[in-house]
Amino acid sequence: MFKVEKYTGSREDGYSLVKKQLIALIEDEKNQIANLSNASALLNQFLERINWVGFYLMEEEDLVLGPFQGLPACVRIPVGKGVCGNAALKKETIRVPDVHQFPGHIACDAATQSEIVIPMIKNGQLIGVLDIDSPEKDRFDQLDQKHLEEFVSILVEHL
């Protein structure tokens, strides 16, 4: 059984705990939708000052909406379009301190001010992206990027 945790201590400690919780949630489950759903719920509960967290999964030439927490979202994003599509194309994390300054930003939630997108790569192939939005400018920093990339690596191992 899972209960709401109050994350205390340093951000490093919090990220360490959330990665351990992820492993506990997904290590014995093979279903991709179940694991992505629990991963998005876990991040939504852990991360402060966010308004959307979820996954877009590769389907042919598009990223297609997967499990998420937040307001209804754009269903399909072409690779190379918006922050998610560019992270997918480049296969690298993109941190955007101000989405209004990102050329071609796709606005699914008008409240979003900053964003981080982490590509999900398995066996050299892009399988999707983790997308996290915040209503605050410059919400995500290098520490968030490092630990969210590690979170995605753990998750991808179990998909």
Side-chain angles (χ1 to χ4, degrees):
M1 181 155 101
F2 197 79
K3 64 178 185 153
V4 174
E5 288 285 334
K6 190 78 169 163
Y7 295 92
T8 59
S10 72
R11 288 174 59 213
E12 289 273 357
D13 292 342
Y15 272 115
S16 179
L17 177 59
V18 83
K19 288 182 279 188
K20 288 176 185 172
Q21 289 175 324
L22 175 66
I23 292 167
L25 281 170
I26 67 176
E27 67 184 342
D28 294 326
E29 181 53 58
K30 302 258 186 259
N31 184 278
Q32 177 173 298
I33 298 298
N35 286 338
L36 292 171
S37 296
N38 271 333
S40 64
L42 182 61
L43 286 174
N44 190 55
Q45 189 258 325
F46 167 68
L47 293 169
E48 297 177 341
R49 305 177 339 269
I50 65 165
N51 58 319
W52 200 93
V53 56
F55 299 93
Y56 281 90
L57 304 173
M58 281 302 300
E59 185 177 291
E60 297 174 11
E61 297 300 315
D62 291 336
L63 291 164
V64 179
L65 183 64
F68 71 94
Q69 304 278 309
L71 292 177
C74 305
V75 175
R76 288 186 179 271
I77 299 174
V79 170
K81 301 291 183 185
V83 182
C84 288
N86 275 282
L89 180 66
K90 296 175 181 177
K91 294 185 182 175
E92 63 185 39
T93 298
I94 297 179
R95 268 191 350 246
V96 181
D98 181 351
V99 297
H100 303 293
Q101 301 304 313
F102 189 90
H105 174 254
I106 300 169
C108 294
D109 181 343
T112 296
Q113 298 293 313
S114 63
E115 184 171 4
I116 186 168
V117 179
I118 298 97
M120 301 165 61
I121 299 169
K122 185 168 188 165
N123 300 324
Q125 292 294 114
L126 179 77
I127 61 171
V129 299
L130 167 62
D131 180 22
I132 307 172
D133 298 348
S134 173
E136 294 180 10
K137 288 185 178 174
D138 208 18
R139 159 64 181 85
F140 305 102
D141 61 16
Q142 186 60 40
L143 183 73
D144 293 305
Q145 180 174 337
K146 172 185 180 283
H147 287 287
L148 290 167
E149 287 173 346
E150 291 171 2
F151 184 95
V152 165
S153 290
I154 293 165
L155 179 60
V156 166
E157 287 176 25
H158 293 86
L159 296 178

